[in-house]
Amino acid sequence: MTRQLHLNLFLHDTGHHEASWRLPGSSPTANTDIEYHERLARLAEAGTFDSLFLADSPVQFNDPGRRPAGRLEPTVLLTALARATERIGLIATASTTYNSPFNLARRFSSLDHVSGGRAGWNIVTTAGDDAARNFGLEHQPPHIERYERAAEFVEVSKKLWDSWEDDAVVADRERGVHAEPSRVHVVDHVGKHFRVRGPLNVPRSPQGYPLLVQAGSSADGRQFAARHAEAVFTAQQTLEEARAFYADLKRRAGQAGRAAEGVKILPGLVPVIGSTEAEALAADAELEALIVPEYAKRQLAHLLKVPSEHLDLDRQLPADLPPEEAIEGSKSRYTLIVELARRERLTVRELIGRLGGGRGHQTFTGTPEQVADTVERWFTAGAADGFNIMPAVLPSGLEVFVEHVIPVLRARGLFRAEYTGTTLRDHYGLPRPANRLTSREEDVA
Amino acid sequence: MTRQLHLNLFLHDTGHHEASWRLPGSSPTANTDIEYHERLARLAEAGTFDSLFLADSPVQFNDPGRRPAGRLEPTVLLTALARATERIGLIATASTTYNSPFNLARRFSSLDHVSGGRAGWNIVTTAGDDAARNFGLEHQPPHIERYERAAEFVEVSKKLWDSWEDDAVVADRERGVHAEPSRVHVVDHVGKHFRVRGPLNVPRSPQGYPLLVQAGSSADGRQFAARHAEAVFTAQQTLEEARAFYADLKRRAGQAGRAAEGVKILPGLVPVIGSTEAEALAADAELEALIVPEYAKRQLAHLLKVPSEHLDLDRQLPADLPPEEAIEGSKSRYTLIVELARRERLTVRELIGRLGGGRGHQTFTGTPEQVADTVERWFTAGAADGFNIMPAVLPSGLEVFVEHVIPVLRARGLFRAEYTGTTLRDHYGLPRPANRLTSREEDVA
């Protein structure tokens, strides 16, 4: 069998394009409507996507006017989607900076139980002072400290997920023993950031623990991914950059003692599809014309850490932007955007148009065949194990992708025609993690 | 119309009796099986219960052998149940000591959206050092400090729930304004325990915020309930005590400037039902015989803060137990149990038998008519606005209650035959809370 492509659907209310909600027929309540999300999830499952995914940050970003802003908490939303679907994986973003390991590990274990082994956790450290101010801090902790805490958070979580052995529950009515006490372990974690006694108060879940996903592409982010991530979402603008990133991350995983196949790399892809290339370009232009430049400029200024009035819509970016080292937020996204603007000599208005669809992710505009060609090229050129599909407009962009692009990928033998496993790790071809706290010698006879 | 009774179903895996899991036919995985819970929820909805409820503590209590121990996190579990039901209210317990207001307020708002306005929050401060040790502390904060933090936590949460006005989302495609910025408010809470900037990142939910429920009956607990709770779960052993508690709490609510009808009081009730009284007593005896005394003795010792070896199964409780003031955990439950044992001169073994079903809640054993009689007597005597129904065995105890007790209550005109509203507050006859941050004068024209 040919090496198989993996596809994740990145859900985003009315679509990833910031103006998608302004199109006629868009749902005004897409961000809080559970039935809307259930329809999307079932559609993605009909397309045999490996998984669907929700980004998140515990903060209301500026400009609630700009686009659907508030959104449902991802572990809650995905629990509902778990019960509306049967096979597709469900990946929720959650912050290691603004959660406690016990509570979060328990919620993911619960989601894995409720979904029958389909939970994934996109581990983020949450950039920005705005989020910090919702949690008693004036400023976000430094980038390096957030990643250090994240690493310890994952370590504690794994201990908690392993604190019940897989066969701890015996439900022996005769002896009156529900779980064997010798198979439920205190973890007694003591570290720099956390002290957690354990055990977790949930038996080990179908997958053992959720698939671990990561999406930061800075040096700290890559190092973290190399050690912990089983899937990586990344923004890559060109095939060359994507290949370099792919090779670098697989190398780092090897250095961390892991198999290269143990970490799947999925660049973001915003497909804008038409029956003809001209139709696709027209759809893209229609969306771009609906962007409110003032909103977009304010957000760009926020990301670049410059006052909004230093950006002129009809000029290129100012020359005196800070270096990536000085950015404590989304480092790699910052550099990607600055390099894109400089490489193509874009005005701020043009840059805003380019970012409107995918916020730095690659937009592929064309016919279904053309999109499938690009997917195949990246996949076979060692730039991707699959893609994080970010429809510019939902649900229509997903409908078109499922109806017209996926059949092409299937016909080429690149993508499954039906699910062959039941868990999220099954779909990604990854093994269920062994329990590291198993200690048979203590066994009760 | 006669004053209407309210009924809440307290879900508890195989039932509230600690030995219920040892009965033939019980589900060995009841605590983690989502379909099992969905069946129970649908059954309760067929019985037009106002709500169902999950207790919780972020800790694995001792003795995983004793009974199904680990359990799914309540906001996750209830989200799944929200999608399996249409009308019944869904009340999740969550701790103000071991959560942050932003994250928890958001999850409850999300659950209220996903359920179409059926979310409730049982606010607990979480007793015990064991839980504290899962969150970096060696000892739990003192009782008074936990309640002080709880009050501030609720205050912050209400601000966050009000941070989006009800009509903030306008989705005005023409102007390119999704939510009116003037109707989304920073909250800038600064208090002793929390600093939270806000706004919340979820639009205001169908109920505005979840029904607020409270279950602590200590002096601190009552004062908290009088100020904040819309429903109160309580353990009362005798009609006299229940009437005194009821009168005291309604009086305190009045002193706090609230209407007495604004807080519904629901004592716990463990119904053990048979076609005849003798059959019911035999069922109770069968369960009692299945209790493993060593497990139960250890837990009793833990609750009484004495070493397990100081308790002798065949003697009464030691005379030198500490006073309630010295208890930093479940104060009122401690006193209830000690008084029960002393009043009836119970041996430890007998006390364990009495606590096996409801852990201090009142057990009503008898025919459906007898159980309905007791319910009516307490309800009309000013001891209860309704009951927190705690079947000793699930699902059978719920089936019997729905099939045989509820029809009697309906025939007497005490209980609804069908739902008349759609939200949890509708069921309890409580108004939707107004938004306190609404500020029309800032309105954009």
Side-chain angles (χ1 to χ4, degrees):
Chain A
M1 194 166 107
T2 328
R3 173 172 160 251
Q4 288 290 292
L5 180 75
H6 300 287
L7 293 179
N8 173 73
L9 172 65
F10 186 167
L11 278 182
H12 199 296
D13 45 69
T14 56
H16 283 270
H17 197 287
E18 66 170 275
S20 55
W21 72 272
R22 297 187 67 191
L23 292 173
S26 72
S27 163
T29 55
N31 47 331
T32 53
D33 180 348
I34 188 62
E35 289 172 8
Y36 173 84
H37 286 91
E38 288 173 348
R39 284 193 297 276
L40 290 173
R42 292 193 187 107
L43 184 54
E45 187 165 79
T48 62
F49 275 78
D50 295 67
S51 49
L52 58 80
F53 158 64
L54 294 168
D56 198 58
S57 189
V59 64
Q60 172 61 56
F61 289 114
N62 296 328
D63 289 329
R66 183 177 172 223
R67 65 186 305 177
R71 60 186 57 158
L72 303 174
E73 193 279 330
T75 61
V76 166
L77 175 50
L78 291 191
T79 298
L81 299 189
R83 302 308 295 157
T85 56
E86 293 178 0
R87 293 296 194 92
I88 194 167
L90 305 158
I91 302 172
T93 297
S95 171
T96 54
T97 304
Y98 303 116
N99 278 292
S100 60
F102 190 92
N103 287 341
L104 194 66
R106 185 175 179 214
R107 288 222 305 290
F108 274 106
S109 177
S110 299
L111 178 58
D112 204 46
H113 277 289
V114 166
S115 63
R118 297 185 284 138
W121 172 22
N122 178 41
I123 305 162
V124 298
T125 66
T126 308
D129 292 339
D130 288 346
R133 291 178 188 137
N134 288 332
F135 297 90
L137 302 175
E138 198 50 44
H139 298 289
Q140 63 179 332
H143 198 265
I144 182 74
E145 188 183 315
R146 294 205 313 276
Y147 271 96
E148 189 186 85
R149 178 180 157 113
E152 190 182 333
F153 196 117
V154 172
E155 185 190 340
V156 180
S157 299
K158 286 183 176 175
K159 289 179 184 174
L160 289 168
W161 288 320
D162 284 350
S163 63
W164 287 64
E165 297 187 26
D166 287 306
D167 56 359
V169 174
V170 294
D172 186 333
R173 294 189 180 91
E174 199 51 48
R175 283 194 297 141
V177 175
H178 194 266
E180 286 293 352
S182 64
R183 298 181 194 165
V184 180
H185 305 280
V186 161
V187 305
D188 266 338
H189 174 89
V190 179
K192 180 170 168 190
H193 296 274
F194 303 109
R195 291 174 63 95
V196 182
R197 184 161 187 274
L200 197 62
N201 55 350
V202 190
R204 201 159 190 259
S205 69
Q207 289 191 110
Y209 54 80
L211 181 80
L212 300 181
V213 181
Q214 198 270 353
S217 296
S218 66
D220 295 333
R222 292 179 193 207
Q223 212 45 42
F224 182 88
R227 280 180 57 206
H228 299 290
E230 297 168 278
V232 171
F233 298 147
T234 180
Q236 301 294 333
Q237 280 284 325
T238 68
L239 179 59
E240 298 66 46
E241 285 164 354
R243 291 181 65 183
F245 177 83
Y246 186 96
D248 179 63
L249 200 60
K250 298 275 181 173
R251 184 184 54 75
R252 288 177 191 246
Q255 285 174 342
R258 299 176 61 205
E261 317 84 70
V263 50
K264 306 297 182 190
I265 299 175
L266 291 85
L269 181 164
V270 183
V272 179
I273 299 165
S275 328
T276 64
E277 197 175 341
E279 195 181 301
L281 288 167
D284 205 17
E286 183 191 0
L287 282 166
E288 195 170 322
L290 289 172
I291 294 176
V292 178
E294 283 310 309
Y295 288 146
K297 199 180 92 168
R298 274 206 295 275
Q299 207 211 7
L300 181 62
H302 185 76
L303 196 140
L304 298 177
K305 310 285 179 240
V306 296
S308 184
E309 52 281 14
H310 286 204
L311 300 181
D312 182 328
L313 282 171
D314 297 308
R315 306 183 67 151
Q316 293 184 34
L317 292 182
D320 56 346
L321 293 173
E324 179 177 309
E325 300 80 74
I327 299 295
E328 282 294 343
S330 307
K331 283 177 181 285
S332 62
R333 189 63 53 88
Y334 170 84
T335 299
L336 179 149
I337 289 170
V338 173
E339 286 183 357
L340 168 67
R342 299 233 157 107
R343 187 171 62 238
E344 305 194 18
R345 299 173 184 276
L346 303 173
T347 63
V348 167
R349 191 186 303 275
E350 288 165 340
L351 180 60
I352 282 169
R354 290 289 289 276
L355 297 177
R359 305 180 307 283
H361 289 274
Q362 177 71 0
T363 298
F364 290 172
T365 306
T367 65
E369 285 283 340
Q370 287 173 323
V371 171
D373 288 347
T374 309
V375 164
E376 182 168 6
R377 187 164 64 249
W378 282 48
F379 180 59
T380 54
D385 294 311
F387 287 89
N388 185 20
I389 303 297
M390 304 167 58
V393 183
L394 284 168
S396 62
L398 176 61
E399 286 163 359
V400 172
F401 196 88
V402 167
E403 283 170 32
H404 299 287
V405 180
I406 284 181
V408 177
L409 298 171
R410 284 175 177 161
R412 294 181 188 179
L414 295 171
F415 191 60
R416 71 175 69 84
E418 55 188 33
Y419 291 105
T420 53
T422 60
T423 71
L424 175 51
R425 279 200 184 78
D426 288 343
H427 304 335
Y428 279 102
L430 296 165
R432 182 176 192 270
N435 190 321
R436 301 182 304 172
L437 293 189
T438 299
S439 52
R440 281 286 83 135
E441 66 277 13
E442 291 177 36
D443 232 9
V444 173
Chain B
M1 194 164 107
T2 328
R3 173 170 160 250
Q4 288 290 293
L5 180 75
H6 299 288
L7 293 178
N8 173 72
L9 171 67
F10 186 168
L11 278 181
H12 199 296
D13 44 68
T14 56
H16 283 269
H17 197 287
E18 67 171 275
S20 56
W21 72 271
R22 296 186 69 190
L23 292 173
S26 74
S27 163
T29 55
N31 48 331
T32 53
D33 180 347
I34 187 64
E35 289 170 7
Y36 173 83
H37 287 91
E38 288 172 348
R39 282 194 299 276
L40 290 173
R42 290 193 188 107
L43 185 53
E45 188 166 77
T48 61
F49 274 79
D50 294 68
S51 50
L52 58 80
F53 157 65
L54 294 167
D56 198 58
S57 189
V59 64
Q60 172 62 55
F61 289 114
N62 297 329
D63 289 328
R66 183 177 172 220
R67 66 186 305 178
R71 60 184 60 157
L72 304 174
E73 193 279 328
T75 61
V76 166
L77 174 50
L78 290 191
T79 298
L81 299 189
R83 302 308 294 157
T85 56
E86 293 179 1
R87 292 296 193 94
I88 194 167
L90 307 158
I91 303 172
T93 297
S95 171
T96 53
T97 305
Y98 303 117
N99 278 291
S100 60
F102 191 93
N103 287 340
L104 194 65
R106 185 174 178 215
R107 289 221 304 292
F108 274 105
S109 177
S110 300
L111 177 58
D112 203 47
H113 276 290
V114 167
S115 63
R118 295 185 285 138
W121 172 22
N122 178 40
I123 306 163
V124 298
T125 66
T126 307
D129 292 339
D130 288 346
R133 290 178 189 136
N134 288 332
F135 297 90
L137 302 175
E138 199 50 44
H139 299 289
Q140 62 180 331
H143 197 266
I144 182 74
E145 187 183 316
R146 295 205 314 276
Y147 271 96
E148 187 185 85
R149 179 180 156 111
E152 190 181 335
F153 196 116
V154 171
E155 184 190 341
V156 180
S157 298
K158 285 184 177 176
K159 289 178 183 173
L160 290 168
W161 288 320
D162 284 350
S163 63
W164 287 64
E165 297 186 26
D166 287 306
D167 57 358
V169 175
V170 292
D172 185 334
R173 293 190 181 91
E174 200 52 46
R175 284 194 298 143
V177 175
H178 195 267
E180 287 294 351
S182 65
R183 299 182 194 164
V184 180
H185 305 279
V186 162
V187 305
D188 266 340
H189 174 89
V190 179
K192 180 170 168 190
H193 295 275
F194 304 109
R195 291 173 64 94
V196 181
R197 184 162 186 275
L200 196 62
N201 56 350
V202 190
R204 202 157 189 260
S205 69
Q207 290 191 109
Y209 54 81
L211 181 80
L212 301 182
V213 181
Q214 198 271 355
S217 295
S218 67
D220 294 333
R222 291 179 193 207
Q223 211 45 42
F224 182 87
R227 281 180 55 204
H228 299 291
E230 297 168 279
V232 171
F233 297 148
T234 180
Q236 301 294 332
Q237 280 285 323
T238 68
L239 179 59
E240 296 67 46
E241 285 164 354
R243 290 181 65 183
F245 177 83
Y246 186 96
D248 179 63
L249 200 60
K250 298 274 180 173
R251 184 183 55 75
R252 288 177 191 246
Q255 285 173 343
R258 299 177 61 206
E261 318 83 70
V263 50
K264 307 296 182 190
I265 299 176
L266 292 85
L269 181 165
V270 182
V272 179
I273 298 165
S275 329
T276 63
E277 196 174 343
E279 195 181 302
L281 288 167
D284 204 18
E286 183 192 0
L287 281 165
E288 194 169 323
L290 289 172
I291 293 176
V292 178
E294 282 310 310
Y295 289 145
K297 198 179 95 168
R298 273 205 295 275
Q299 208 212 2
L300 181 62
H302 185 76
L303 197 139
L304 299 178
K305 309 287 180 243
V306 296
S308 184
E309 51 283 11
H310 286 203
L311 299 180
D312 183 328
L313 283 171
D314 297 309
R315 305 183 68 151
Q316 294 184 32
L317 292 182
D320 57 345
L321 293 173
E324 178 177 309
E325 300 81 74
I327 299 296
E328 283 292 342
S330 306
K331 281 177 181 286
S332 62
R333 190 62 54 89
Y334 170 84
T335 298
L336 180 150
I337 289 170
V338 173
E339 286 182 357
L340 168 68
R342 298 231 158 107
R343 185 171 63 237
E344 306 193 17
R345 299 173 183 277
L346 303 173
T347 65
V348 168
R349 191 186 304 276
E350 287 165 339
L351 180 61
I352 283 170
R354 290 288 289 276
L355 298 176
R359 305 181 305 285
H361 289 273
Q362 176 71 0
T363 299
F364 290 172
T365 307
T367 65
E369 285 284 341
Q370 287 173 323
V371 171
D373 288 346
T374 310
V375 164
E376 183 168 2
R377 189 165 61 250
W378 282 48
F379 180 59
T380 54
D385 294 310
F387 286 89
N388 186 19
I389 304 296
M390 304 168 57
V393 183
L394 284 167
S396 62
L398 176 61
E399 285 162 0
V400 172
F401 195 89
V402 168
E403 284 169 33
H404 298 288
V405 180
I406 284 182
V408 177
L409 297 172
R410 285 175 177 160
R412 295 182 188 179
L414 295 171
F415 191 59
R416 71 173 70 82
E418 54 188 32
Y419 291 105
T420 53
T422 61
T423 72
L424 174 50
R425 278 200 185 79
D426 288 343
H427 305 336
Y428 279 103
L430 296 166
R432 181 177 192 269
N435 189 321
R436 301 182 304 173
L437 293 187
T438 299
S439 52
R440 283 285 85 133
E441 67 278 14
E442 290 177 37
D443 232 9
V444 173

